[in-house]
Amino acid sequence: MSRLLFRRLPARAVLRARPMPSARTYASASPATQFNWEDPLWSKNLLTEEELAISETAERYCQEQLLPRVLQAYRDEHYDPKILEEMGEMGLLGATIDGYGCAGVSTVASALITRAVERVDSGYRSSMSVQSSLAMGAIHDFGTAELKEKYLPAMAKGKLIGAFGLTEPNHGSDPGSMETVAREHPQKKGYYLLTGSKTWITNSPIADVLVVWAKLQDTGKIRGFLVDRKQCPAGTLETPAIKNKTGLRASITGMIHLEDCPVPKENMFPVVEGLKGPFTCLNSARYGIALGVMGALEDCIDRARTYALERKQFKGNPLAKYQLIQKKLADAATDAAYGTLAAIQVGRLKDEGKATPEMISMIKRQNCDRALHNARVLQEIFGGNAVSDEYMIGRHVANLYVTQTYEGQSDIHSLILGRAITGIQAFV
Amino acid sequence: MSRLLFRRLPARAVLRARPMPSARTYASASPATQFNWEDPLWSKNLLTEEELAISETAERYCQEQLLPRVLQAYRDEHYDPKILEEMGEMGLLGATIDGYGCAGVSTVASALITRAVERVDSGYRSSMSVQSSLAMGAIHDFGTAELKEKYLPAMAKGKLIGAFGLTEPNHGSDPGSMETVAREHPQKKGYYLLTGSKTWITNSPIADVLVVWAKLQDTGKIRGFLVDRKQCPAGTLETPAIKNKTGLRASITGMIHLEDCPVPKENMFPVVEGLKGPFTCLNSARYGIALGVMGALEDCIDRARTYALERKQFKGNPLAKYQLIQKKLADAATDAAYGTLAAIQVGRLKDEGKATPEMISMIKRQNCDRALHNARVLQEIFGGNAVSDEYMIGRHVANLYVTQTYEGQSDIHSLILGRAITGIQAFV
Amino acid sequence: MSRLLFRRLPARAVLRARPMPSARTYASASPATQFNWEDPLWSKNLLTEEELAISETAERYCQEQLLPRVLQAYRDEHYDPKILEEMGEMGLLGATIDGYGCAGVSTVASALITRAVERVDSGYRSSMSVQSSLAMGAIHDFGTAELKEKYLPAMAKGKLIGAFGLTEPNHGSDPGSMETVAREHPQKKGYYLLTGSKTWITNSPIADVLVVWAKLQDTGKIRGFLVDRKQCPAGTLETPAIKNKTGLRASITGMIHLEDCPVPKENMFPVVEGLKGPFTCLNSARYGIALGVMGALEDCIDRARTYALERKQFKGNPLAKYQLIQKKLADAATDAAYGTLAAIQVGRLKDEGKATPEMISMIKRQNCDRALHNARVLQEIFGGNAVSDEYMIGRHVANLYVTQTYEGQSDIHSLILGRAITGIQAFV
Amino acid sequence: MSRLLFRRLPARAVLRARPMPSARTYASASPATQFNWEDPLWSKNLLTEEELAISETAERYCQEQLLPRVLQAYRDEHYDPKILEEMGEMGLLGATIDGYGCAGVSTVASALITRAVERVDSGYRSSMSVQSSLAMGAIHDFGTAELKEKYLPAMAKGKLIGAFGLTEPNHGSDPGSMETVAREHPQKKGYYLLTGSKTWITNSPIADVLVVWAKLQDTGKIRGFLVDRKQCPAGTLETPAIKNKTGLRASITGMIHLEDCPVPKENMFPVVEGLKGPFTCLNSARYGIALGVMGALEDCIDRARTYALERKQFKGNPLAKYQLIQKKLADAATDAAYGTLAAIQVGRLKDEGKATPEMISMIKRQNCDRALHNARVLQEIFGGNAVSDEYMIGRHVANLYVTQTYEGQSDIHSLILGRAITGIQAFV
């Protein structure tokens, strides 16, 4: 098990002595002879002791530290960067990376962390995913030894915040048409000048380190650059926030405007070229989303079930007694159980080097689609009361719409799968 | 045609000289040989000249006067009571009522007004529906001649704002179990004392006139009371707003707390007893919702279509060229066309005295369900961009969830229909 | 009202004295104050007295004469051509045609007949639709005066059976690519030689008169030919039946193989060229399908409701008491009511010359899709018993799949609508 | 690995030399770097070598020996009892039983066999499931040592055919209300007399050994009896076939009528009492269905994909190029992959003694629902051609409806799950 996560266990042990806000004990296995609605197909049976412990630790942190803050943060559209520091302190960032102060845990363990965070809020999970899978992942997979040494340790601690600039205003589903360009600095040798705009970039307004993908002007090939905000002259890098979002309001999202922003050549990732670079990172992030959204869905199930048991209508019957209500719960629990198993399977294959991008397309698409669909259906159980944000389900519904669209909108993943199944592309 | 609406036509005629913000001309009939995506099954062919003119007038007002304000109002969760005054000035309030300064138009004409308002925002429409169908409707249908004379003219002008208190915190789908009670004033003869709480009451925080349904303590029968805020001693009526709503944020919603609030006996509706009173009002309001939500859906279609034509992805093709996009538009247009025809049919029957409550359950449920479903599917066309509230579709999606739940949640209407079809009730 | 239909009323009057097999009275209007599950939105209010009478007459014939035969016919995959004669005798064939012994009724009246037939079986309706809308319709709309005089009267009586050959083995959704060709007879002046194959042709094995669409060899333009089986030399026309069908087994379907089949020039439709000809006929047939399938759906509702009321499970409760059952019935009744109103609206527009093909695409697609979907859901009410064909619902389910695919498969109609909405075609 | 299955491998080896009818090699693992549409999430990675070999053997037998017969058998509604003998010869019957000539393989291995059979036809699989899980399973789990020795070896060879009588005409979803009764023989000591009717009993018309569940007259407790047809006096046991089925026509189904049928006391299962007995057997059968239906779905995917690649429409494009087609394939492949993983997971838990009945309810329900839904959607790809039974997809669609209803109709399993999730039953 990760030394980092263990190292902190004494601190957690104290917390364990305190009563949990909910009666749930996240990692305890259900007894053999009893159905456990929180883990209907007993996915925990597939996890290692270490993974169970990591999951438990992450769940406790999220329920105790994140949950109390999220409602106000979402209302105010405010993201507190301290959260990344806390996560760093817990060893939750870049958790699959070995070395550089990272935990070096399995792909599944890492995704159990994202699930714990997303059980609270998809926005918090997005911020963490960008830091871990996209920014740290890109540096780790493609950066030089110097870049890794320089940036990863501080990013692992949450002291440096990362962002990942791929999507452009005119090129969402089709990043290969990007317009951001890098040209050699006409005067200053050893430098590129980056010009272009990226949008819907999680963390960008507060990021210290921005991984930006751009086309080399002379070759037209896409390359990755590490843009260090401290090194950017005034006026060459702007990262305005996008406000008034309809979802993920507890995370911060913005644009990246680069105007002849000088970046030293050693900050260009040395080997990777074309879309392989960003797609490798997206692959890891998408994997985390696939298990992450199951956390949001499970929270919806938990809240809807509790509401249905407590809310009485018509002769004092709890809503939970009505067939139409029970079917909604059964459907949602089934999709949560299936999605969890599929994500664990692909995580295992990923660690064995056997997972293909299409597998990740499949689980990212299906799990986001089903999480969103079921969250909406469960919301119906609350009737008009769901309009109050304090019931906490409207926020999940709004967030999950976003997860369905980012890192490959659902229909785009259909076509990726369709191409893999038929051998024919249908994008155009 | 309504004198009121005509009376104002000179003013509107000026407006007509100005270019419309959109190229749509809402009431112009499509030529015989051409398909019109805005009215695929040519419902306009079923409308009278007067109805077409009323619709056009209402649409212009809404697009020109309401649309520019709604985005900020929704963000700020702010409702401007001036809107009801404007609507009153236009003759849009209580439009089916004959006399008392009301327009006296057909049921369908009145619903064309709600559709025009809901094309902008379901919250604005909710506020108007409560004023017109619930508050004014209750007074008109059940009040004494004195109450009608006293309140309806000012309410028709939007000078007095109405609310309708039926739903209670513990009794949403089952109002028959209400706990609010009216008892004879022990000292002050000719007065009742009302005590109880109502919740999710549109307009309540700003209402001057609150229709409140309560059980008479001695008989246990439900009766309706007109509570005039001006007449309530301090501390007997509180109407706190419910903030941080996840939808309908451009309307104002609140609670009604009554504590021994004295109401003169002449403010009790004289004859109607039991749930017949509130259900009659709800029936009219639900009818308006059924056509109203078609306005929200049509706006989603319009915006999604425009976006799909303008947004290019993959070799410069507009999204509108992709089969998966076209199917979403075709599905939505079909549901909008069908829902509109069904609502017109029931409106005609209503004016002929042939509409049953179950018919209205059917169209309220189906049109709300389909509007919500299609709005969500159309939102997918915007991909991540829908997260920006400026694309205006996320707001409709959030609003339409609420319309599905209020005035009879969708499943409840299923059971009303199921009972009508089978003769067996399945509520408990 | 049609003289023909009235002329036969004495005979029907006798039948009326007999008790109906079902308690339903198809054309009786529901009282104003009561919900009628068989016509939830009171579509009958939109029909003329004549239309109501035609509907009633057709329903009686179908329930009394067709219903008792259909189960065995479906099992044996046997179509009795006498049925067309009976329908001719009743005045049901080519009912919208004025003259030639046809009834000359409204488009809606004609579709009420198809609905009555399809309430029994979609196969019976298909056979009638092909006779009326496709074969007789083509001759009436495009044939010379001589062809009309020669063929229509006998076809109206069901003495001559028609077929309509458009679809080819390799060209289903894309008839414009047809390969059947007509070339001038090299020896016999005044004759064309037709060569090619058509498939999935209702009635073809028993047809006397086959309308065949073929490309003129010299121009490549599609033209229509009336192939009279009696005039075809041996070996030039083969019409083998397609057996072992998975649906529409009570109708007969086959191929048309033409090999240098000589057809006199006067049997070529004189003016119409290109796909306009067949599409005009399909438009009428599709219209009939749109209301026709509502008959099948209504029969499913009727049977499922009866079963749910009679079948007891769990402490003697009828299935109809369960919420999950009631919701299925409510959904189906809603779609039947909406689809009926939409079809009536388009029928009225058609008679006014205002219906566009896209309108008919919309109602054909939506009504077939919803009929099929709901029939499947209603089938679930029967549980395992639906596996017995005697419950009559499995047959509807199997038939309705076919109606969804023929005369424009559902997805193709989506793209027709998508093109109409966006102005962009997405077929290729 | 099972000795039986290995013992027969030489014979199979010969078969292997022959070319497979399809190019598929069912058990070969996909290479690490490539997506395999036949096993998208690489479930084979979870199987043992033995399981892979069993699966391969079963698939070959089914594709080579069963597939060529099924079309005609389904048309003729004919079941050839030789098939059970062949399966017995292959060691496929009662495969999880250890001893008595059975293979003694894992639960998952056994379900891989059912999947192989159901890839050809759900009816063939039903017949095998009844023989293995229900009849042999009941005898093995609850019979005396003598009964096991006497019947299991011949049943394992397919020489004796078994049936399982639980469902009654008036008690489908609620077997606890059964009316079949067993009373002590008034004259013949040591015998019970069984009276009652069972229906929808697979294999009953040809069964030699019928496990029948009946209530003991004196205690009212449900007990299991082994009825040996050879021992039944004339007129005491009738097993008429139910003909004209709308699905599962390649299996034989019937009733069991018992009229004072004498059964020796030693044929009553000694210990098990109440519904525990039949439900234990159903649990195993349901498990087999859950993976079995994935075989039918995978066959639909395979056939639809092939059709879509070969069928050209609109400028020579294969259907597979169209987005609407690709989405159908992607959806189906996803559900097949997810359902397979879930079934494997529960199979493993079952062998570990950790599977609860609710888990099996979940996978039985979900996999049947999704198999049916996707089969229907894939059928649309064939358009009208699916009406020909030779395309083989209509049969799967018809069959899968039945699997959704038997051994717990889908809605009943929803309520079982709802009860497990909420702790409240909603059956009545």
Side-chain angles (χ1 to χ4, degrees), chain B residues 32 40-42 45 305 321 323 326 331 338 345 349 354 359 363 365 367 421-422 424-426 428, chain C residues 32 40-42 45 305 321 323 326 331 338 345 349 354 359 363 365 367 421-422 424-426 428:
Chain B
L41 298 181
W42 207 353
N45 205 43
R305 176 181 171 275
K321 163 137 194 60
Q323 292 188 341
Q326 289 205 353
D331 288 343
Y338 273 52
Q345 164 77 352
L349 292 174
K354 295 171 177 168
M359 289 180 187
I363 62 171
R365 167 177 176 259
N367 287 9
I421 293 168
T422 65
I424 301 174
Q425 73 87 357
V428 291
Chain C
L41 299 182
W42 208 352
N45 205 43
R305 176 182 171 276
K321 162 133 195 63
Q323 292 188 341
Q326 290 205 353
D331 288 342
Y338 274 52
Q345 164 77 351
L349 293 174
K354 294 172 178 168
M359 290 181 188
I363 62 171
R365 167 178 176 260
N367 287 8
I421 294 168
T422 64
I424 301 175
Q425 72 88 359
V428 291

Side-chain angles (χ1 to χ4, degrees), chain A residues 305 331 338 365 367 421, chain D residues 305 331 338 365 367 421:
Chain A
R305 176 183 172 276
D331 288 342
Y338 273 52
R365 167 177 175 259
N367 288 9
I421 293 168
Chain D
R305 176 182 171 274
D331 287 342
Y338 273 52
R365 167 178 176 258
N367 287 8
I421 293 168

